[in-house]
Amino acid sequence: MTESKFNSLVKTIGIFVALGVAVVIFIYMYQFLFNKGYVLGGTAAFGAFGDYIGGILNPILGFATVILLIYSIRIQMKELRESTIALKASQIAHEELAKTSKKELSIIEQGHLNQQSALKREALRNQLTENAENIIKTYDKLMNLPYVNASHTQFSLRDLLYNLTQLNDNTVENNIANISNLMGTEPSKRNEQAKKLHLESIKKNINQLVLVFLELKPMLEAPSLQKIWGDRLESRVLDCYGLTIFTEEEMERARKLITVDTTRPLI
């Protein structure tokens, strides 16, 4: 029940009460004054008249009061029920908002974690790429350093591999044997220990490059990049085999590591 309806009910009850009082007075006056010719007396007569009016009006007013009380209680109960519903709706809305905020925060945090992971991955890939390039530079430098004297001319390992040997009709085994003979030539101003350290440095360099490549390969998402790096490394492994730095078993093991698919954890 709205406030306007309640006010209308109060007015209606007030009108009925006023009409009831007027009717009671009219009946009293008609019955005793006009019909029987009684006259109003003193205090006792007015007291009796008051008792008469009170005896009739008190039940009417009491009944009206009860009705108003009942409607007032109904209004309070309805308002309490509506308030409870509103509070529940507000609580549900608050919980939904909290869930939404928590979900959004979780998404943002996950985005930050993904971004940090991507940055770490990129930084590690760049670092490994730089390390691999530096190792290759060191390898190329070692391969181009003077290694032996042949016919009063200094030759590097790269010269031995690509300039002094020709495959043509010779077998690979014969060329490897020729390289071994040339590598055994006494170098000027260098001793056997220096030659040994030179070859060990190259071998260590290639082994280190293989390990770095195994870390780098999973981060090279494009297959073409993996192939480019694999070819660069494999050609140097074959060079080491051609110079007898690697045995055939070591060469095959290195090539297998280069070509195998790896799923090692990145970070």
Side-chain angles (χ1 to χ4, degrees):
M1 180 181 292
T2 61
E3 184 178 358
S4 60
K5 290 183 178 181
F6 181 76
N7 293 334
S8 176
L9 177 63
V10 172
K11 291 179 180 179
T12 301
I13 293 175
I15 292 172
F16 276 106
V17 170
L19 289 175
V21 172
V23 169
V24 169
I25 294 175
F26 174 76
I27 293 174
Y28 180 84
M29 294 180 67
Y30 177 80
Q31 180 67 22
F32 293 100
L33 294 180
F34 300 108
N35 191 19
K36 295 185 178 182
Y38 293 156
V39 296
L40 295 175
T43 304
F46 276 104
F49 176 73
D51 291 338
Y52 170 77
I53 296 297
I56 294 177
L57 292 182
N58 281 340
I60 296 175
L61 294 176
F63 179 72
T65 302
V66 171
I67 292 176
L68 291 175
L69 179 61
I70 292 173
Y71 275 96
S72 176
I73 293 174
R74 287 187 61 188
I75 291 174
Q76 291 178 1
M77 290 179 64
K78 184 177 180 180
E79 290 179 349
L80 180 61
R81 183 167 57 252
E82 291 177 350
S83 298
T84 303
I85 294 174
L87 287 174
K88 288 183 178 179
S90 177
Q91 182 179 2
I92 293 173
H94 180 72
E95 291 176 354
E96 291 296 330
L97 180 61
K99 289 180 181 179
T100 303
S101 300
K102 186 177 181 180
K103 185 176 181 180
E104 291 177 352
L105 180 61
S106 177
I107 293 174
I108 293 174
E109 289 178 350
Q110 187 62 41
H112 287 165
L113 291 176
N114 292 339
Q115 185 178 12
Q116 291 177 0
S117 178
L119 291 175
K120 289 181 180 179
R121 178 188 177 93
E122 183 178 0
L124 182 57
R125 181 175 63 246
N126 293 338
Q127 183 63 49
L128 290 173
T129 301
E130 183 179 355
N131 291 345
E133 292 289 356
N134 290 334
I135 293 172
I136 290 176
K137 288 180 181 178
T138 302
Y139 168 86
D140 292 340
K141 183 177 180 180
L142 290 171
M143 289 291 289
N144 289 320
L145 286 176
Y147 184 77
V148 297
N149 274 350
S151 302
H152 305 289
T153 303
Q154 288 186 338
F155 294 98
S156 67
L157 292 174
R158 190 174 298 278
D159 292 330
L160 294 179
L161 189 62
Y162 292 104
N163 297 336
L164 298 183
T165 59
Q166 301 293 330
L167 289 178
N168 295 331
D169 297 331
N170 295 329
T171 63
V172 174
E173 289 78 7
N174 289 335
N175 281 281
I176 291 176
N178 292 333
I179 291 173
S180 298
N181 293 332
L182 288 171
M183 290 177 65
T185 304
E186 184 68 27
S188 60
K189 300 181 181 180
R190 301 184 69 189
N191 54 33
E192 291 297 328
Q193 184 64 23
K195 290 171 59 179
K196 183 178 180 181
L197 290 175
H198 193 157
L199 299 180
E200 287 180 351
S201 296
I202 292 176
K203 186 174 184 178
K204 182 179 179 181
N205 181 273
I206 289 298
N207 287 332
Q208 185 179 5
L209 183 59
V210 171
L211 293 178
V212 172
F213 177 72
L214 291 178
E215 293 286 344
L216 177 62
K217 187 176 180 180
M219 301 183 185
L220 301 174
E221 298 176 356
S224 57
L225 288 178
Q226 294 183 5
K227 186 176 186 306
I228 290 173
W229 273 99
D231 291 344
R232 293 178 70 185
L233 182 52
E234 187 174 9
S235 66
R236 286 163 174 79
V237 170
L238 293 176
D239 287 349
C240 289
Y241 173 66
L243 293 169
T244 67
I245 297 174
F246 276 174
T247 64
E248 183 176 358
E249 181 181 355
E250 290 172 334
M251 182 266 294
E252 292 296 339
R253 183 167 60 248
R255 293 183 67 186
K256 184 177 180 180
L257 288 174
I258 294 170
T259 56
V260 71
D261 290 334
T262 177
T263 56
R264 298 176 62 184
L266 303 179
I267 298 177

